[in-house]
Amino acid sequence: MADLPKISEAEMEVMQVLWADEPMTANEVVEALLEQTGWNHRTIRTLLGRLSKKQAIGYREQERPFRYVSLVSREEVSRVERASFVKRVYSGAIMPMLAEFIEDEQLSEADIRQLKTMLTRREGDNDESHG
């Protein structure tokens, strides 16, 4: 999907439930979110309606009751949200964000090894594209 819809924090809760176990009926989504959030069932149904209107979710009309499915992937939404966060909070600069995360977070030895491996792999990718 070229233009992903803006998804609010509350709508993201609905998407997380759906991504975890789709397709789901409205009642199944309501039950899952009632347990997790304590929201009113009308609130959850309103969020389902908003997400449907935004074309972030759809439903299978041939099945009764309708079963909701995501129309955007977790990966697509995550990519857009990351880019938006970096732009809003760090003026689009990735290095200050990474430096702050590395300094502020408690990283295990395994985390550090994994970061080193990722950077080495990325460095190799850059060498191949410039060579």
Side-chain angles (χ1 to χ4, degrees):
M1 178 178 263
D3 292 331
L4 268 96
K6 291 280 188 206
I7 297 175
S8 72
E9 278 189 54
E11 292 166 345
M12 189 65 81
E13 294 275 341
V14 176
M15 294 301 298
Q16 296 289 356
V17 165
L18 199 54
W19 284 323
D21 198 24
E22 65 185 307
M24 297 176 76
T25 66
N27 286 339
E28 290 168 338
V29 174
V30 167
E31 281 181 37
L33 285 166
L34 281 174
E35 287 178 25
Q36 288 180 23
T37 65
W39 293 340
N40 182 296
H41 73 280
R42 279 188 235 110
T43 300
I44 298 166
R45 288 186 181 272
T46 297
L47 292 170
L48 284 168
R50 285 184 192 163
L51 286 165
S52 182
K53 187 179 262 188
K54 291 179 179 186
Q55 296 183 335
I57 65 173
Y59 51 87
R60 296 179 177 173
E61 292 184 33
Q62 66 274 20
E63 295 182 31
R64 297 280 191 228
F66 295 154
R67 295 179 108 29
Y68 284 95
V69 294
S70 63
L71 299 178
V72 294
S73 72
R74 184 187 312 257
E75 293 76 20
E76 289 173 303
V77 172
S78 178
R79 186 176 57 250
V80 168
E81 289 294 323
R82 265 194 322 270
S84 173
F85 173 78
V86 171
K87 185 177 180 180
R88 279 189 339 264
V89 178
Y90 294 94
S91 301
I94 292 172
M95 282 308 301
M97 181 199 70
L98 289 174
E100 285 182 20
F101 274 104
I102 290 169
E103 291 297 319
D104 292 346
E105 298 300 317
Q106 294 295 322
L107 298 176
S108 69
E109 290 298 320
D111 292 335
I112 293 168
R113 280 193 304 277
Q114 188 175 5
L115 279 170
K116 285 180 179 179
T117 300
M118 291 167 62
L119 289 170
T120 300
R121 188 177 7 198
R122 183 66 188 255
E123 189 176 47
D125 290 347
N126 284 346
D127 289 347
E128 289 173 14
S129 66
H130 289 72

